[in-house]
Amino acid sequence: MARNGINKRELDKWARNLVKETNKSLESAQRRNPPRVSAQLDATFSANPSGDVTESGGYPARLLLWLETRTGGGANIEQIEQDFPESPVPLALQLEQRGLVKALRAASGLYAIHLSDEGMVEVHRLKELQKNRAARLRYTMDAFHRWLFDTAGDQKPINPVLFFATPAAYFAGSEITGTELHEALAYLSQHKLIERIETEPATVAITPQGVSCALAGGSVQDHVNQPRPGTTYNNYMPNAKGVIIGDQQHFNQYNTDGVDPALFAQLAGYIGQVSTTLGMSETDRAELENVAQNLHTEATSENPEPGRLRQFATQVKDKLLEAGTTIAATMGVQMADQALAALTQ
């Protein structure tokens, strides 16, 4: 079972090895049984109000991209069935309803489809969307987590290789890569939504927290970024301008040391705003917020002591560096450097 307190390096190594094993299993299975696309596996797909296929479209997106490669942007049903062996007619009808293809019919029924103007625009959007690394990773985390809940919501271990055989293993019509699954598994495990099971081959299981996330109906990021009752101090933390949230206290300094505490108060306030988005463990986040509170208390005191300001700001910076290289953490480090630099001026 997963061990508490696992460090990020060990977690990353585990996820990478798991995906490596997964890829080997998948390649072996594909050699034995060459994959063929099944349109029936994705009988429904989500679309935005304008009718565009979303990144979770899977096979509908693949059919649109496939049509774009055909002369004239169209094909008859017999041609489509060569790559979509289980009748593509329901899929074609869905795309027609959204205005993405034009269907040609005879007395015997639908016999061909062609991309519409809207369909060609959608193909362009899908190709651009495939290049969005952040969107791909968010989708992979959400798709794998939903699949794990639907497939093994009772917390039984399961081989993640099975995910690749589902319609959800496509983003905007392109296959999810082993690297993307590796990053998604590491993130989900880091935030205790899945648990690694040290078996041979390696397997994963959804955790009680992962089940709660699935039942809530939001995304993985929604779950990760929400405040955690009992471990957050945000109700008492300053805002990004250094003002205490709730009572809107203002402060005056009467110091004669030439120290401007505003930058330190703002740094503490910034931590109060972003601490829940840094992807830290509950223990690390509580420690960071505690240091930020101490920094704010010192910065808003009548005579801030430069040594204590330096001590607390340095501790904040070190903890942000440990948190990783997210944009929020990087901005915090820059604010800390700016505040510390002001002490030497």
Side-chain angles (χ1 to χ4, degrees):
M1 294 290 181
R3 301 189 299 275
N4 294 328
I6 183 172
N7 61 52
K8 291 183 179 180
R9 179 176 298 178
E10 183 181 352
L11 179 61
D12 186 71
K13 180 180 179 181
W14 163 74
R16 184 178 291 108
N17 289 339
L18 178 57
V19 171
K20 186 181 296 183
E21 294 174 0
T22 294
N23 288 340
K24 289 181 180 178
S25 298
L26 182 60
E27 291 170 359
S28 176
Q30 288 176 336
R31 285 193 297 268
R32 292 192 301 269
N33 301 289
R36 302 182 75 194
V37 177
S38 169
Q40 290 184 348
L41 287 175
D42 196 30
T44 62
F45 63 96
S46 58
N48 63 30
S50 66
D52 292 340
V53 177
T54 68
E55 56 266 31
S56 60
Y59 293 143
R62 293 191 68 191
L63 180 54
L64 287 177
L65 293 168
W66 182 85
L67 286 172
E68 194 258 346
T69 66
R70 311 292 295 183
T71 303
N76 59 45
I77 296 301
E78 288 75 15
Q79 291 173 322
I80 298 174
E81 285 177 342
Q82 294 177 12
D83 287 325
F84 293 75
E86 298 181 24
S87 177
V89 172
L91 186 56
L93 292 175
Q94 291 173 4
L95 294 173
E96 182 189 30
Q97 288 176 353
R98 289 159 176 81
L100 300 177
V101 300
K102 295 179 180 179
L104 303 180
R105 291 177 170 81
S108 58
L110 186 149
Y111 69 87
I113 57 174
H114 291 262
L115 281 175
S116 65
D117 290 344
E118 292 82 358
M120 288 187 285
V121 171
E122 179 64 10
V123 166
H124 175 74
R125 189 187 74 86
L126 289 169
K127 289 182 177 180
E128 290 300 311
L129 191 58
Q130 290 174 4
K131 304 173 186 177
N132 189 326
R133 183 175 180 274
R136 293 184 70 96
L137 183 55
R138 287 194 301 269
Y139 171 79
T140 303
M141 292 188 298
D142 288 337
F144 183 84
H145 176 253
R146 287 194 301 268
W147 169 79
L148 185 61
F149 174 76
D150 291 339
T151 307
D154 56 359
Q155 298 177 247
K156 290 183 179 179
I158 190 170
N159 190 335
V161 69
L162 300 176
F163 171 72
F164 282 118
T166 70
Y170 295 90
F171 173 81
S174 65
E175 294 181 349
I176 297 300
T177 67
T179 298
E180 288 161 349
L181 181 58
H182 151 231
E183 294 180 359
L185 290 172
Y187 191 90
L188 293 170
S189 183
Q190 177 185 349
H191 292 282
K192 299 179 175 63
L193 298 180
I194 66 173
E195 181 181 25
R196 64 172 182 166
I197 310 298
E198 296 177 351
T199 56
E200 186 62 39
T203 55
V204 298
I206 196 168
T207 64
Q209 188 167 317
V211 171
S212 297
C213 174
L215 293 176
S219 68
V220 169
Q221 285 297 294
D222 290 338
H223 177 83
V224 169
N225 293 338
Q226 69 179 345
R228 296 290 189 268
T231 59
T232 177
Y233 301 92
N234 284 343
N235 289 338
Y236 309 100
M237 289 291 288
N239 64 20
K241 294 183 179 179
V243 180
I244 292 291
I245 295 173
D247 55 16
Q248 298 297 310
Q249 293 180 1
H250 295 274
F251 58 90
N252 296 310
Q253 280 81 22
Y254 301 96
N255 66 84
T256 58
D257 296 328
V259 176
D260 180 4
L263 293 176
F264 295 93
Q266 290 172 8
L267 172 60
Y270 176 76
I271 298 303
Q273 298 292 307
V274 305
S275 63
T276 60
T277 70
L278 297 174
M280 306 174 73
S281 68
E282 298 297 334
T283 299
D284 290 341
R285 184 163 69 91
E287 292 177 356
L288 173 62
E289 292 178 346
N290 184 55
V291 174
Q293 286 182 3
N294 292 337
L295 176 60
H296 185 267
T297 299
E298 185 65 33
T300 57
S301 65
E302 184 173 342
N303 288 295
E305 207 282 314
R308 289 177 62 81
L309 290 175
R310 184 186 304 279
Q311 174 189 347
F312 294 137
T314 300
Q315 290 176 354
V316 167
K317 176 182 176 180
D318 290 343
K319 292 185 180 298
L320 288 173
L321 289 172
E322 294 174 1
T325 57
T326 63
I327 294 177
T330 300
M331 289 182 62
V333 170
Q334 293 174 349
M335 292 178 68
D337 285 338
Q338 185 179 3
L340 291 169
L343 287 177
T344 62
Q345 295 178 356

